[in-house]
Amino acid sequence: MAMATTSSKPMREQVEEFISKLQEDIVSALEKLDPNAPAFKRDDWLRAQGGRGLSCVFAVPDPSVSEAAATAQNSVLEKAGVNISIVHGILPPPAVKQMRADHGSMKDLEGSLPFFAAGISLIVHPRNPHAPTVHVNYRYFEITEPVPEGSQEKGKIVAWWFGGGGDLTPSYLYEEDAKHFHATHKAACDPHGAAVYPTFKKWCDEYFVIKHRGESRGIGGMFFDDLCDEPHKRFLEAGGEEANAQRPHTPETIFAMIKDLGNAFLPSYMPILERRIHTPSDARARRWQLLRRGRYVEFNLVYDRGTRFGLLTPGARIESVLISLPETARWEYGSELGSEEGSEEARLMEVLKNPRDWV
C-alpha cells in the first residue's frame, strides 16, 4: 500500500512522475508477454497550447501490406494504447461553468481560468475472443487563479480533484476472471476506507451503460470523478457523513490511493490475459467479439465523458482521443447472437443487463 507522504514537490510533479513510471511498467509487461510481436510505437508529442505527452501504441500492419504483416496477425494483442498527457492552458468560460456544478470552491469563479491536467489512459484489445478488453485511466486536474500577463508568478490553486477507474469488457464470461479483476481492485481500495470500493463499483455499474441498448459495456470495475476535499455526493449517498468522512480527503491521501489503484492494474489483468490468449476459438467467437466491440464503439462515441471532452478541447490530439476504439468492429441488423437461450453469448448478456457483485 502506498503511504500518504508529504513531499516538497508540487502535486502536479508527483503525478507526472508516477504516471510516467506506470506507463513504462505496463508497456514493458505487455511487450514481454509477446516478444515476437512488434514493439509498441513510442510517440512523443507537444501541445501547441501548452504541455506534452507520450503515446505508446500497439498495432500490426494490415495483412495486405506484406507477407511479414500477415504473419504479425498472430500477435497476442490486436490493438492497444498506453498514453500519458501533461497539459496546461486556459479553460474557456463554458467549461468553467460546467465544472462549478461539482466544485463548491469554484462557485465564485468566472471567465477563463488557467488549468493543469495530467493522466494516464490505457486500452487493450486482445486478439483472442476469449481474452477480455480492458480500459483504465487515472487523472489529476487543477485550476489556478489568473496572473497578470507576463508575470513569472504561479497562480494560487483554487480547485483540484482526482478521477479515474476502469472496467473489464469480455466477449465471453469467465467468472474466475471477473472475481479476480474485482478482488484485486477491492484489495487496493480497502486500506483507504471501507466505503471506497463499493462506492466506486456501483458508480462504474451506473456509468458504463449503453442506455439505448439497456446493457452495460462490460462486467464492471471502478469509476470515480471530482474527488477532492469537498463533501462528495456519491459517498454521502452510499453511507452518509460517516462514509464520506472515512474516505481520503487530502491531495496526499487521495494520491496514495491513486498509486495503489494504478499499481493494481498489472496484477488484476495480466493473469487473466495469460490464461485466455491460447483458448481455442472459431469463426462464431470472432463474429461475437466484433459485435461486442461494436457496442464498445457505441458507448465511447455516444456517452463517454472523456471522449466528448477530448473532442471539444482546443488543440486535442484526435488520434489519442480515439485510441480506445478497436481496430475492427461489427454491426448486424437483428443478430441472433446473444439471444439464443443457453448459449455462452446469452450467458454474458444476462450479466450485462443485470450487473452482479463479484466479491
Side-chain angles (χ1 to χ4, degrees):
M1 183 184 84
M3 300 297 294
T5 58
T6 301
S7 172
S8 59
K9 295 181 180 179
M11 181 54 66
R12 57 173 64 186
E13 291 184 21
Q14 295 181 56
V15 172
E16 180 177 351
E17 290 177 358
F18 172 67
I19 61 176
S20 296
K21 183 180 185 304
L22 182 60
Q23 178 190 41
E24 184 54 39
D25 289 346
I26 293 172
V27 171
S28 296
L30 292 171
E31 289 181 331
K32 184 178 179 180
L33 180 68
D34 193 5
N36 295 322
F40 276 65
K41 176 183 177 182
R42 272 78 165 172
D43 180 22
D44 282 295
W45 52 268
L46 296 175
R47 180 174 178 266
Q49 293 82 357
R52 66 172 185 88
L54 173 61
S55 297
C56 296
V57 181
F58 178 87
V60 297
D62 186 273
S64 64
V65 174
S66 66
E67 183 176 339
T71 301
Q73 298 296 312
N74 295 321
S75 58
V76 167
L77 305 183
E78 188 165 345
K79 184 182 176 184
V82 185
N83 300 342
I84 63 169
S85 62
I86 304 100
V87 300
H88 55 86
I90 301 298
L91 205 62
V96 173
K97 181 179 179 180
Q98 179 180 344
M99 291 177 177
R100 278 204 303 265
D102 294 309
H103 299 278
S105 58
M106 294 181 63
K107 63 180 177 19
D108 297 324
L109 300 178
E110 301 284 350
S112 300
L113 294 171
F115 81 93
F116 169 87
I120 181 170
S121 180
L122 70 89
I123 178 72
V124 179
H125 292 293
R127 191 171 298 281
N128 191 305
H130 296 271
T133 284
V134 70
H135 161 258
V136 168
N137 77 82
Y138 296 105
R139 57 194 175 275
Y140 171 69
F141 200 99
E142 69 180 33
I143 294 176
T144 57
E145 291 179 337
V147 296
E149 187 174 351
S151 172
Q152 299 301 312
E153 296 182 2
K154 293 184 178 179
K156 177 184 176 183
I157 297 175
V158 294
W160 59 270
W161 61 89
F162 290 87
D167 66 327
L168 196 68
T169 310
S171 299
Y172 289 94
L173 180 63
Y174 291 92
E175 293 198 11
E176 64 178 306
D177 294 352
K179 291 176 180 178
H180 174 80
F181 186 80
H182 282 266
T184 305
H185 283 96
K186 182 179 185 298
C189 288
D190 284 351
H192 304 281
V196 171
Y197 171 77
T199 301
F200 291 174
K201 196 272 182 185
K202 183 174 185 291
W203 198 344
C204 180
D205 287 341
E206 296 172 352
Y207 177 76
F208 290 108
V209 175
I210 309 169
K211 299 180 179 64
H212 58 272
R213 300 277 187 182
E215 65 190 51
S216 297
R217 185 177 79 173
I219 58 172
M222 301 178 307
F223 182 85
F224 62 97
D225 205 0
D226 304 311
L227 203 61
C228 59
D229 54 356
E230 301 172 19
H232 201 289
K233 60 183 179 182
R234 284 280 176 169
F235 283 90
L236 294 173
E237 292 170 356
E241 294 289 348
E242 183 178 357
N244 186 68
Q246 292 176 351
R247 57 94 178 171
H249 282 82
T250 67
E252 291 77 19
T253 57
I254 297 176
F255 182 48
M257 182 186 70
I258 293 289
K259 288 190 287 186
D260 283 343
L261 291 174
N263 289 328
F265 170 72
L266 286 174
S268 75
Y269 182 64
M270 293 301 288
I272 297 173
L273 187 59
E274 291 167 352
R275 271 200 298 267
R276 305 301 167 200
I277 55 178
H278 301 301
T279 302
S281 190
D282 56 21
R284 175 189 174 98
R286 175 61 171 172
R287 176 183 163 210
W288 176 239
Q289 180 190 45
L290 296 183
L291 286 170
R292 294 312 313 163
R293 286 182 177 175
R295 298 289 205 270
Y296 199 94
V297 171
E298 289 179 24
F299 175 84
N300 280 27
L301 295 184
V302 177
Y303 299 112
D304 187 65
R305 291 170 57 183
T307 302
R308 288 187 292 169
F309 180 81
L311 294 175
L312 294 173
T313 301
R317 298 184 78 250
I318 302 304
E319 293 287 352
S320 295
V321 173
L322 299 179
I323 189 63
S324 64
L325 300 184
E327 184 175 86
T328 54
R330 185 178 178 88
W331 289 265
E332 295 181 9
Y333 183 83
S335 177
E336 81 286 0
L337 287 183
S339 62
E340 299 168 309
E341 187 175 351
S343 68
E344 287 299 308
E345 293 82 10
R347 184 165 168 264
L348 174 71
M349 289 302 302
E350 173 61 26
V351 172
L352 298 184
K353 290 181 178 294
N354 301 283
R356 286 169 50 180
D357 290 329
W358 297 103
V359 292

